[in-house]
Amino acid sequence: MEKKIYRTRYGVGLYLFVFAVFAMITVAVYEKGMVAMSVIIVLYLVITLAMSWLYYVVDGGTLVICNCIVKQKIDINTIRRIEPSRSLLSAPAASLNRLRIYYGKYDEVLISPARQEEFIKALLSVNAGITVAVPN
């Protein structure tokens, strides 16, 4: 199987949520001075850039989740179940339209590939035993 790259889906709602949280923090630290505000603004920019450089790779039997310089590798043969999710938990996903992937014995990860059906088919071509839950 050839290496296939899937870009993340970008959700305006998630970006607005992150911006709102950082705006509230910035207002809260306003009295602490410009240094504290600058740190918060830089942190917001780093998180926004990290969300922009997010993608997923199906490479043979491995799913690689790439976020800036961090790479998480998952053996596709250990994936048990995939289901839709709208969870707000921190995850390598730039949208709230997410997939929750259960793998290994107790592990799970939330991701948001732009072409979810194509992505799921690529995983199923490696591991046909994955249970895929359909959205309600």
Side-chain angles (χ1 to χ4, degrees):
M1 175 181 208
E2 70 181 70
K3 180 185 208 177
K4 185 72 176 167
I5 297 173
Y6 297 89
R7 297 287 171 203
T8 190
R9 176 187 308 256
Y10 294 100
V12 174
L14 185 59
Y15 279 97
L16 290 175
F17 174 75
V18 170
F19 177 78
V21 168
F22 275 94
M24 288 186 289
I25 293 170
T26 302
V27 169
V29 300
Y30 177 75
E31 295 175 359
K32 303 286 185 203
M34 290 304 289
V35 173
M37 282 183 42
S38 298
V39 169
I40 296 300
I41 291 169
V42 168
L43 186 58
Y44 172 74
L45 292 173
V46 167
I47 289 173
T48 302
L49 285 173
M51 288 170 59
S52 299
W53 292 330
L54 181 61
Y55 60 97
Y56 317 103
V57 180
V58 176
D59 188 7
T62 305
L63 167 61
V64 184
I65 301 169
C66 304
N67 186 358
C68 290
I69 58 171
V70 178
K71 290 185 179 182
Q72 178 183 2
K73 293 183 179 182
I74 297 171
D75 180 350
I76 295 172
N77 288 309
T78 67
I79 297 176
R80 303 183 324 270
R81 180 176 171 80
I82 301 172
E83 64 186 33
S85 176
R86 306 261 325 146
S87 174
L88 290 173
L89 293 176
S90 177
S95 168
L96 292 178
N97 185 357
R98 298 172 169 189
L99 295 175
R100 183 182 306 269
I101 297 179
Y102 296 92
Y103 65 98
K105 195 166 184 175
Y106 303 109
D107 299 311
E108 62 184 73
V109 66
L110 290 163
I111 62 171
S112 61
R115 299 180 324 270
Q116 287 185 356
E117 289 181 23
E118 182 182 328
F119 176 80
I120 291 170
K121 285 180 185 176
L123 296 179
L124 287 171
S125 72
V126 176
N127 178 359
I130 298 171
T131 301
V132 180
V134 294
N136 296 334

